[in-house]
Amino acid sequence: MVEARRDLVVAPSVTYSIPGTRAPLGSTLADGCTIASGVDPSAYPVGTTLHLGFAPGTIGDFPSSATGVQWVSAIVGNHGVLKHEVQNLTALTQYIAGLSPTGTLGDWIGNPIAFRTMADPTSITESVTISWALGSCQYWWVNNPPTSGTKFEYAWQDILSNPVDILWDVGDFHYQGGSSSSYGDPTEWQTWAAMYWAQMPNLPVMMQARALMIEDQISDDHEFSSNNGESALPVPPGEDDKQGLHRQTQMEASQNIFALPDTEDTSGRGMYYTYLLTPHVRVIVVDGESLDPSWGAYADSNINPKTFLGSPQTNWLKAILTTKIVPLNLIISGKAWIADDIADPPLPEDTDKIWAYPYWRSGFYQWLQQWNETEGNPQVNIVWMAGDRHFVAYDDGTNNSWGGFPCVVGSGWCEKPLERRTGENYIHWYPQGNFPPVSPDTVFQYARGAIVDDPVSRTVTLSVTLMINVLNTDSMTAFASASKTWSY
C-alpha cells in the first residue's frame, strides 16, 4: 500500500535513550554498552556536553547515591543525536543511568535508562539465563491515525511491565515507506533520520520500554524505501535506482542514530555483524536489504541463481558459522524464512522476500546439510528469527522444507494482520487465516523467550512464547510456548 509522506520533524522533541548491543567480541567495547540518545537541540544545541551517570540499581530509578556512580560525557551532534560509550562493566549486572546537563546527581533530564550486562562471552561457570524479545512492523502512520497512542503500545506496555535483557526489533519501525517517487533524492541522512523522531513523542510507553533493554534495531524494508522494494546497486539496465539510493541513506541514518555494532561490511553496502551472548550462543544479524542482492523480480534458475544476501554477505555468513563452531547460532533477519517460492498474486508483492530467491535458499540449505554431514563435528545449529509478516509463529523445523531448522517470527507491533503465503505453516502461529479476509482484524503482538546456557549439563535451551493482544482489550496473553535444547 502506498502511503502519503508525512511532514518531518527536524529533531526529537522528547529526550529518550536506547542502550545498544554489545560490540563484537575482541573490540574495546566487548565489556560495555553504547547508549544512543536524542534530545531537543533547542534546549541542548549542537556542541553541548551532556553527561551520563550510571551505577548498579533497580529498573525505573535514576542513580541516587554518589557511591559507585560513574560518569561519561558526550557531545550533542546534528539533530540532537549523541552517544555515550560505557565500558568496563561487570557481567550479569543490572545498571541504571540518566542524562544530566551538569553531571550532578538529581539533575536529570528525560527518562531513567536501564541496561543489563550479559554473561562474559568468553567463559561461564554456572547456568546463565538471558531473556529476549522479537518484534517488528510498528506501523503508526496514515492508516493508523494517532487519535490515541494507547492501542499502538499494547506490546510495548507488556514489555515495559516485564522487561527483557535484549530486544531484536527487526525492521519496519516507522513505516514511512511509500512509492519511490515520493522521496526525492536526499543528500543528508538527518533529513530522513528525522522520521524516527516523529514516532517517539506520541508513543511514550514505547520510548520508555526501548530504554530499558539492550536493543538491536535492524533497519529494513519500509524505513526509507518502498515496501517490497529493490535495494540493489547498481540496478539492472532500465530500472530505477532510487530504492538503492534510499537504502544507502537508511544505512547511514541507522548507524548514526542507533547504538549498533560496526558492520562487518567494509564497502558500505550492507549492515551485518555478529556477537556472542554467551560462549555457546552467537547472534548473527544479516541484512536482507543490502546493496548486493540480485534484483528480486528477475528470473531465477540453477544455472544463474539469484542471491538474497549478495555474494559477499553469503560468504561472510558461512565463514562465521563454520570458523568457530558454537552450539547455537541465532540468525536475526528482517525477512522470514518459511514460505513457498510460488509467487502469490499480486506480483511483484514478494520480490524482496527470501522465497523470491529459491535457488539461493536451497543452495544455503544444501551447503549447511553437506557441512554437517562431512565436516560437522560439532554440528552447525541455527534458528532463523525474523519479522515482516504481521503474525507471530514458531516452528521446530517440522514445516521448514527449506532447511529443517527452527524458525521464529515476531511481528505485528502494529494492528494490521497480513494474509499467509503458500507454504507458510508453523507448529504454532497466530492469526491462522490463510488469505483475506483474515481474523482477527488487529494483532498487536510480538515474541519473547529465554536462552539458558548451562555449562554443568552442557546444554543450551531456547524457549519461545508468542504474545498476542486479547481482542477488544488492552491486555496481552501467551498464545503458545515451546522450547528446544541443544547439547554440547
Side-chain angles (χ1 to χ4, degrees), residues 105-352:
L105 287 176
D107 186 20
W108 306 113
I109 59 175
N111 296 309
I113 302 163
F115 55 96
R116 181 181 182 273
T117 53
M118 301 301 182
D120 181 345
T122 61
S123 177
I124 57 173
T125 58
E126 58 186 22
S127 181
V128 170
T129 300
I130 296 172
S131 58
W132 57 268
L134 175 76
S136 74
C137 307
Q138 181 61 38
Y139 201 63
W140 185 75
W141 290 136
V142 178
N143 293 321
N144 293 292
T147 53
S148 170
T150 303
K151 67 177 183 176
F152 303 107
E153 298 183 297
Y154 290 152
W156 294 109
Q157 181 61 62
D158 191 65
I159 294 179
L160 183 62
S161 302
N162 303 280
V164 295
D165 296 323
I166 187 166
L167 165 69
W168 295 296
D169 198 351
V170 288
D172 302 0
F173 171 44
H174 58 48
Y175 267 71
Q176 196 65 27
S179 66
S180 60
S181 61
S182 71
Y183 280 84
D185 293 298
T187 57
E188 295 184 355
W189 68 265
Q190 292 94 335
T191 302
W192 296 98
M195 291 187 289
Y196 285 104
W197 309 146
Q199 294 262 48
M200 296 290 184
N202 295 282
L203 299 173
V205 174
M206 179 190 74
M207 181 173 64
Q208 293 176 55
R210 288 162 70 95
L212 293 183
M213 302 167 286
I214 289 179
E215 179 172 336
D216 236 342
Q217 178 66 47
I218 291 88
S219 62
D220 182 88
D221 207 324
H222 298 292
E223 270 90 349
F224 288 73
S225 59
S226 293
N227 187 20
N228 304 301
E230 304 277 14
S231 59
L233 282 179
V235 300
E239 301 288 357
D240 183 6
D241 67 354
K242 199 165 289 184
Q243 295 292 344
L245 295 176
H246 291 151
R247 176 59 183 168
Q248 285 184 316
T249 303
Q250 179 185 359
M251 287 192 291
E252 189 174 357
S254 298
Q255 289 170 306
N256 276 277
I257 295 171
F258 296 105
L260 302 175
D262 292 335
T263 176
E264 295 286 343
D265 176 64
T266 58
S267 65
R269 297 181 60 81
M271 290 179 62
Y272 45 90
Y273 46 87
T274 182
Y275 51 90
L276 292 174
L277 287 182
T278 77
H280 309 110
V281 181
R282 177 193 285 128
V283 172
I284 304 173
V285 175
V286 296
D287 185 356
E289 294 282 329
S290 76
L291 301 179
D292 288 323
S294 306
W295 199 254
Y298 278 32
D300 196 24
S301 72
N302 61 352
I303 304 298
N304 186 27
K306 298 184 296 185
T307 172
F308 171 67
L309 295 178
S311 295
Q313 188 179 178
T314 299
N315 294 335
W316 169 84
L317 174 59
K318 292 178 179 178
I320 290 296
L321 289 170
T322 58
T323 300
K324 182 183 179 186
I325 306 294
V326 297
L328 179 59
N329 298 277
L330 306 177
I331 299 182
I332 313 297
S333 172
K335 303 293 191 295
W337 182 268
I338 292 179
D340 209 309
D341 56 41
I342 298 173
D344 297 316
L347 280 173
E349 172 70 13
D350 286 338
T351 57
D352 69 338

